[in-house]
Amino acid sequence: DLAGPKVYGGNHTVTLIPGDGIGQETADSVKAIFKEARVPVTWEQFDVSGFTTGEDNLMKQALESLRRNKVGLKGILYTPVRQGHSSFNVAMRKELDIYASVATCKNIEGLESRHTGVDITIIRENTEGEYSGLEHQSFPGVVESLKIITRAKTERIARYAFDYALRNNRKKVTCVHKANIMKLADGLFLETCRRISQEYKETGIEFNDMIVDNTAMQMVNRPQQFDVMVMPNLYGSIVSNIGAGLIGGPGIGSRHVGKDIQGRNTANPTALILSSVSMLRHLMLDNYADMIENAVRKTIAEGTVRTPDMGGSNTTTDFTEAVMKNL
Amino acid sequence: EYPNVRFDDVLLDRACLQIVQDPSKYAHTVMVMPNLYGDILSDLGAGLIGGLGLTPSGNIGRDASIFESVHGSAPDIAGQNKANPSALLLSSVMMLRHMRLAKEADAIEEALLDTISKGKEFRTGDLGGSASTTSFTDAIIKTLLTTS
């Protein structure tokens, strides 16, 4: 994707995968806002589900579209807990080598949370680690699971973390690990991050490391101490969810399907809208990005229109319309 | 095999989110999980209730069970009558329950929590108070004697 997105006549074509659960509703919200703001984006939509398997035609088309457009917006795909079914999310990441998952946890004015001054970016290695999907049962009732850590992929994610810090004027990168127990795997991850941090010494970006269990405790005790954080796959999932819980919950910035509230027009579309804002910045459409982000923050700060997860009783449509008005 | 105990399951990342947002969702719940997740979630939980200085723990084994506090050895305040004994005391309460001495366990736990809730002069330094290890202990004993 670093080669640049495809632009024809000033218009960007973006792959849209609304996903499961509240996916369609929240995607509708983004589409409406983009239309109102006259964002130069054309959607190529694929209604893939978490139940779609790798062999499915729809999935192949969606992947081709992503390869062609190089940029996509996606809701959450349900990950079935079932044997013999490869997760669509994981397959998509592997096919397109999507190696970094970037989650931002930042306080939103108007949304009460226990901690203020939180501004954390969690960078999670997304293609290996505990999610390699390599397990075997060599004896009935005894399962062995392989966690893969490679120098090459760790270097890549570490460099991404430091480049991200540089580009976004951040001051510190913290490596989260459990190298005291997983001496080879997490040891390799930690050593590699340390080595890469030396390459960025001149930039003045600080580097430190923390063991994952202590990190969990520190996140709820004093989250303000964290800036950019880099870590392997599983810890990334845990830490980003802790972070999301800190600043106000799933509607704002985390990754859950919301099957229980699907179809009821009660979902909070903020997470997907802010993701689309990140996408606009990636497309270098910062004016539109700012316009939409400001409209969302204004709506939340005003506090008059709130979906149930924010303690209110407004609908997804109410919220969308409020944002459109604030554009 | 335990029809009187409700059972359900939750994905780890969702559990982390929920515990931080609203830990009361898991009140009156026993959570069972593999090694690494337990390591992380127990520290997460400790952070939520005030830190390792107040967190008890039990290590149950086939041949023996050992109850322990999981905070550090704090060499900087050792021997100065400053330490907060709550974590170890709560661990000993867990031990008493394990030994089926529930009455004694409840009495001590109540006296401890009562003392902490009384105010700053009753708490040790780590909790923002001015009590010493011995004065804190004496306060707990006093409460125990008056309520027994």
Side-chain angles (χ1 to χ4, degrees):
Chain A
D1 188 82
L2 300 173
K6 295 278 181 281
V7 190
Y8 292 104
N11 211 302
H12 302 256
T13 310
V14 170
T15 308
L16 176 64
I17 299 174
D20 296 315
I22 53 172
Q24 290 294 343
E25 304 157 69
T26 49
D28 286 344
S29 175
V30 172
K31 284 191 269 187
I33 292 168
F34 271 39
K35 190 164 174 205
E36 183 75 12
R38 298 200 193 353
V39 177
V41 157
T42 306
W43 302 107
E44 239 176 52
Q45 181 163 334
F46 296 90
D47 293 331
V48 177
S49 152
F51 291 101
T52 312
T53 61
E55 298 73 46
D56 203 291
N57 219 18
L58 189 60
M59 171 164 168
K60 288 203 177 94
Q61 289 173 352
L63 288 174
E64 267 164 39
S65 167
L66 280 165
R67 253 190 255 272
R68 189 173 52 240
N69 297 327
K70 297 201 178 294
V71 178
L73 183 69
K74 177 183 153 288
I76 292 300
L77 294 172
Y78 184 58
T79 312
V81 179
R82 224 191 308 149
Q83 279 179 339
H85 178 103
S86 75
S87 157
F88 178 92
N89 286 317
V90 173
M92 210 171 65
R93 264 172 235 127
K94 285 201 161 123
E95 289 281 322
L96 301 168
D97 199 16
I98 297 176
Y99 61 91
S101 166
V102 183
T104 53
C105 304
K106 191 173 172 181
N107 284 118
I108 294 185
E109 192 206 319
L111 261 181
E112 259 180 52
S113 68
R114 196 175 298 265
H115 297 277
T116 52
V118 181
D119 189 355
I120 304 173
T121 302
I122 295 152
I123 293 173
R124 163 189 176 186
E125 203 293 323
N126 226 5
T127 61
E128 59 176 18
E130 303 80 351
Y131 290 54
S132 306
L134 297 167
E135 298 183 314
H136 50 271
Q137 192 164 203
S138 29
F139 185 86
V142 179
V143 173
E144 287 180 334
S145 193
L146 294 179
K147 166 172 164 165
I148 311 288
I149 299 284
T150 59
R151 176 172 294 120
K153 290 195 172 180
T154 307
E155 274 183 16
R156 186 167 63 167
I157 197 70
R159 287 213 172 89
Y160 181 83
F162 279 93
D163 285 343
Y164 180 95
L166 259 181
R167 248 183 295 124
N168 293 280
N169 297 314
R170 315 283 293 211
K171 310 267 183 318
K172 181 171 76 171
V173 175
T174 303
C175 170
V176 178
H177 63 92
K178 189 91 187 154
N180 52 333
I181 300 295
M182 281 165 273
K183 296 183 161 81
L184 286 185
D186 285 5
L188 176 60
F189 191 90
L190 175 58
E191 275 160 42
T192 306
C193 286
R194 246 187 215 134
R195 189 167 38 85
I196 299 300
S197 79
Q198 290 300 305
E199 289 181 18
Y200 288 79
K201 222 165 41 152
E202 312 290 308
T203 64
I205 295 178
E206 213 190 302
F207 174 76
N208 73 340
D209 68 275
M210 195 180 277
I211 296 179
V212 61
D213 39 324
N214 187 25
T215 304
M217 184 157 45
Q218 297 295 329
M219 288 275 285
V220 297
N221 245 334
R222 198 168 56 91
Q224 300 81 3
Q225 65 185 288
F226 297 109
D227 188 347
V228 175
M229 302 170 82
V230 64
M231 62 202 78
N233 220 328
L234 179 68
Y235 310 153
S237 170
I238 293 167
V239 171
S240 55
N241 273 269
I242 294 174
L246 285 177
I247 55 130
I252 304 308
S254 109
R255 306 152 62 111
H256 294 272
V257 176
K259 214 165 195 285
D260 46 337
I261 58 167
Q262 173 183 355
R264 294 204 224 136
N265 197 16
T266 56
N268 183 343
T270 302
L272 193 63
I273 300 171
L274 291 179
S275 300
S276 75
V277 164
S278 293
M279 182 190 79
L280 289 173
R281 295 193 197 287
H282 183 84
L283 290 171
M284 295 190 280
L285 293 170
D286 282 286
N287 287 338
Y288 294 101
D290 289 338
M291 190 184 358
I292 295 173
E293 183 170 349
N294 291 336
V296 171
R297 287 186 181 271
K298 185 158 181 252
T299 307
I300 296 177
E302 277 166 1
T304 45
V305 181
R306 300 182 151 233
T307 46
D309 65 304
M310 292 194 280
S313 55
N314 292 102
T315 61
T316 315
T317 339
D318 291 338
F319 188 85
T320 308
E321 278 165 13
V323 172
M324 280 159 60
K325 231 190 294 183
N326 277 328
L327 284 170
Chain B
E1 292 181 24
Y2 297 85
N4 295 329
V5 179
R6 200 158 66 97
F7 174 79
D8 65 11
D9 63 272
V10 65
L11 290 180
L12 174 65
D13 45 359
R14 192 179 180 86
C16 287
L17 175 69
Q18 289 179 327
I19 289 175
V20 174
Q21 282 183 294
D22 180 15
S24 70
K25 275 203 180 81
Y26 292 92
H28 313 299
T29 303
V30 171
M31 301 170 80
V32 62
M33 63 203 78
N35 215 329
L36 177 67
Y37 310 160
D39 196 3
I40 296 169
L41 275 182
S42 54
D43 267 29
L44 179 61
L48 290 174
I49 58 110
L52 294 181
L54 297 164
T55 304
S57 85
N59 302 282
I60 312 301
R62 180 193 61 192
D63 299 339
S65 293
I66 303 167
F67 298 82
E68 63 173 348
S69 53
V70 286
H71 52 65
S73 61
D76 49 330
I77 59 163
Q80 297 168 33
N81 198 14
K82 282 189 182 160
N84 182 348
S86 297
L88 189 63
L89 192 54
L90 286 169
S91 299
S92 73
V93 164
M94 266 181 117
M95 181 187 76
L96 290 175
R97 292 207 171 98
H98 180 81
M99 295 161 73
R100 300 188 208 275
L101 293 169
K103 200 164 59 100
E104 289 83 347
D106 288 344
I108 294 174
E109 185 176 50
E110 233 173 85
L112 166 70
L113 296 176
D114 190 68
T115 306
I116 292 178
S117 70
K118 275 225 239 308
K120 276 209 159 106
E121 67 269 38
F122 293 93
R123 296 180 208 143
T124 45
D126 60 309
L127 296 177
S130 52
S132 64
T133 316
T134 39
S135 73
F136 180 67
T137 308
D138 289 341
I140 298 174
I141 293 172
K142 195 162 165 225
T143 310
L144 267 174
L145 292 173
T146 51
T147 52
S148 65

